[in-house]
Amino acid sequence: MSKTWRPATQLVHGGTLRSQYGETSEAIYLTQGFVYETSEAAEARFKGETEGFIYARYGSPTNDMFEKRMCMLEGAEDARATASGMAAVTAAILCQLKSGDHIVAARALFGSCRWVVETLAPKYGIDCTLIDGRDLANWEKAITPKTKVFFLESPTNPTLEVIDIAGVAKLANQIGAKVVVDNVFATPLFQKPLELGAHIVVYSATKHIDGQGRCLGGVVLSDKEWIDENLHDYFRHTGPAMSPFNAWTLLKGIETLPLRVRQQTENAAKIADFLAEQGKVANVIYPGRKDHPQADIIAKQMTGGSTLVAFEMKGGKDAAFALQNALEIIKISNNLGDSKSLITHPATTTHKNLTEEARVELGISPGTVRLSAGIEDTDDLIEDFAKALAKVSA
């Protein structure tokens, strides 16, 4: 595989393993275990003296292809594919911490991510401080002698805040902490956290990487030393492994990732501009617009906008519900990154379990709506919004 290949080529050909039959499409190695020619061969495999697969919970040829392809795209040395995005987040955080350690996390997190650091980790004696991650001074103030991990999303879910990843990484390096970045909203095409100084990147592959609503999956990417020392044993013994069938499905999805994300982003940008001109919409947040609050950071760390748009309806929850219910093409769903345009009301879905105070801190109002733009015709999507907005009471 050539290191000079560009992403669109890597995502079609990267990491491919072919059997003796020379298949065009990657094979699904749907097996639990593997056979050894001799007892001595089995012993050598388990000792790590020879390469090869041992058990599907540890890895399989299909999973290996997916991991290698993601490494090529992300610029990472190694990766582990997990059963879901939340399995990836939980593994990436807990595998490197022990009782007494401390996490600093941006408070603008997906609800389940926030639960992991705010509720689950403390049950094991791991402290957590949530901050407004947009201000680097807040990261510095939150550091304690026990701080081992910085955790953030950028852009954030659902309000599309952007955090200075390079700035956070610089602070982390000064104290020997690791930066974990959930890069789902940017996609690996528009943002490279490892190049910006982050140490670990996680994805919900359920989103753009599959992008067609078919299966769950996640992936953790980092340098080989970190994975060998932290994630390897955690992964083997706790069992968050991805199904080989899902790995194969994701391999098929990733081939078209650039095509889908390009159209989704184009749609999102045009819809954001349209919504910004509508009287019933209070405000629009989109990383591709000049009026984004962190436009300067976006310019230096992202190469594209996003497939997501956040906006606020002036009439609060009632107006948000009326809009969503009136849409025909765009479907109500809490998923994102799909080829179908999807819309959701975060306060009653993805961030329902947060307190009202926490939602206010994050800028999630009763009128906040999150759109995940699909690959449909742009004009059809804008017409769908126009017709739906006309049915919303002023």
Side-chain angles (χ1 to χ4, degrees):
M1 298 299 169
S2 174
K3 293 183 179 180
T4 63
W5 286 355
R6 293 168 179 82
T9 305
Q10 292 175 346
L11 296 182
V12 175
H13 298 285
T16 300
L17 299 172
R18 287 191 171 88
S19 73
Q20 69 272 30
Y21 301 110
E23 60 277 354
T24 301
S25 179
E26 298 83 359
I28 307 175
Y29 292 89
L30 201 59
T31 180
Q32 298 165 320
F34 301 86
V35 175
Y36 314 96
E37 292 185 1
T38 65
S39 298
E40 289 79 8
E43 181 182 30
R45 187 86 55 88
F46 271 78
K47 282 183 175 180
E49 295 173 352
T50 60
E51 292 186 358
F53 298 100
I54 294 174
Y55 191 54
R57 176 157 52 86
Y58 304 166
S60 76
T62 313
N63 292 41
D64 188 59
M65 283 189 277
F66 173 66
E67 291 165 354
K68 282 184 167 58
R69 198 167 291 182
M70 284 300 303
C71 283
M72 290 182 71
L73 177 61
E74 195 67 38
E77 292 180 355
D78 205 357
R80 293 291 183 273
T82 60
S84 69
M86 284 313 306
V89 168
T90 305
I93 292 172
L94 295 186
C95 77
Q96 58 182 318
L97 296 174
K98 64 182 184 305
S99 179
D101 287 343
H102 176 239
I103 304 168
V104 180
R107 67 191 184 192
L109 296 171
F110 172 57
S112 293
C113 291
R114 185 155 166 164
W115 183 86
V116 168
V117 297
E118 189 177 30
T119 303
L120 180 63
K123 291 182 178 181
Y124 297 98
I126 301 165
D127 294 326
C128 175
T129 301
L130 291 171
I131 61 165
D132 182 344
R134 294 170 293 182
D135 188 343
L136 286 177
N138 293 335
W139 294 92
E140 190 168 13
K141 290 175 186 176
I143 293 171
T144 76
K146 300 288 189 179
T147 302
K148 301 298 181 185
V149 167
F150 288 171
F151 177 50
L152 61 98
E153 299 174 2
S154 185
T156 62
N157 184 359
T159 54
L160 298 166
E161 295 175 3
V162 174
I163 295 172
D164 185 348
I165 296 173
V168 174
K170 183 178 180 180
L171 289 173
N173 288 335
Q174 291 172 0
I175 63 169
K178 298 296 185 183
V179 177
V180 180
V181 176
D182 182 338
N183 201 43
V184 167
F185 271 38
T187 82
L189 297 173
F190 291 158
Q191 185 168 266
K192 303 287 188 183
L194 297 180
E195 293 180 3
L196 295 167
H199 305 95
I200 301 105
V201 181
V202 295
Y203 288 98
S204 170
T206 311
K207 309 303 189 293
H208 302 91
I209 293 168
D210 172 36
Q212 291 156 85
R214 299 172 298 189
C215 68
L216 299 177
V219 62
V220 183
L221 303 107
S222 186
D223 61 81
K224 191 174 188 308
E225 181 180 2
W226 182 86
I227 286 185
D228 286 347
E229 292 182 0
N230 297 278
L231 183 58
H232 182 72
D233 286 341
Y234 177 99
F235 186 87
R236 286 168 64 102
H237 298 302
T238 61
M242 177 184 288
S243 154
F245 181 82
N246 284 14
W248 180 84
T249 305
L250 292 167
L251 279 166
K252 296 293 94 186
I254 205 172
E255 291 181 354
T256 60
L257 179 66
L259 302 176
R260 288 182 284 105
V261 168
R262 186 184 306 130
Q263 182 63 38
Q264 289 168 317
T265 304
E266 181 180 327
N267 283 346
K270 290 182 178 179
I271 291 169
D273 289 342
F274 169 80
L275 291 173
E277 297 175 353
Q278 305 308 305
K280 296 175 184 178
V281 176
N283 63 75
V284 174
I285 304 175
Y286 180 68
R289 286 177 58 86
K290 293 181 180 179
D291 59 0
H292 190 286
Q294 292 89 42
D296 56 334
I297 298 173
I298 293 168
K300 71 178 184 179
Q301 76 179 30
M302 294 179 68
T303 58
S306 177
T307 66
L308 282 297
V309 180
F311 62 97
E312 183 180 7
M313 295 295 294
K314 287 183 178 178
K317 177 183 173 181
D318 289 345
F321 274 30
L323 172 72
Q324 293 187 164
N325 292 342
L327 291 165
E328 295 182 5
I329 298 171
I330 301 163
K331 306 305 180 186
I332 300 171
S333 175
N334 53 288
N335 194 24
L336 61 93
D338 197 277
S339 57
K340 299 177 179 66
S341 291
L342 305 174
I343 199 164
T344 194
H345 183 252
T348 55
T349 59
T350 58
H351 291 71
K352 181 183 76 69
N353 291 331
L354 297 183
T355 64
E356 184 176 354
E357 181 183 7
R359 288 196 293 270
V360 170
E361 282 183 346
L362 298 179
I364 303 172
S365 75
T368 298
V369 177
R370 187 193 75 193
L371 169 73
S372 173
I375 63 172
E376 302 95 340
D377 183 276
T378 312
D379 291 337
D380 283 340
L381 294 176
I382 290 175
E383 287 175 11
D384 198 23
F385 265 114
K387 292 176 182 177
L389 284 165
K391 296 179 181 178
V392 178
S393 300

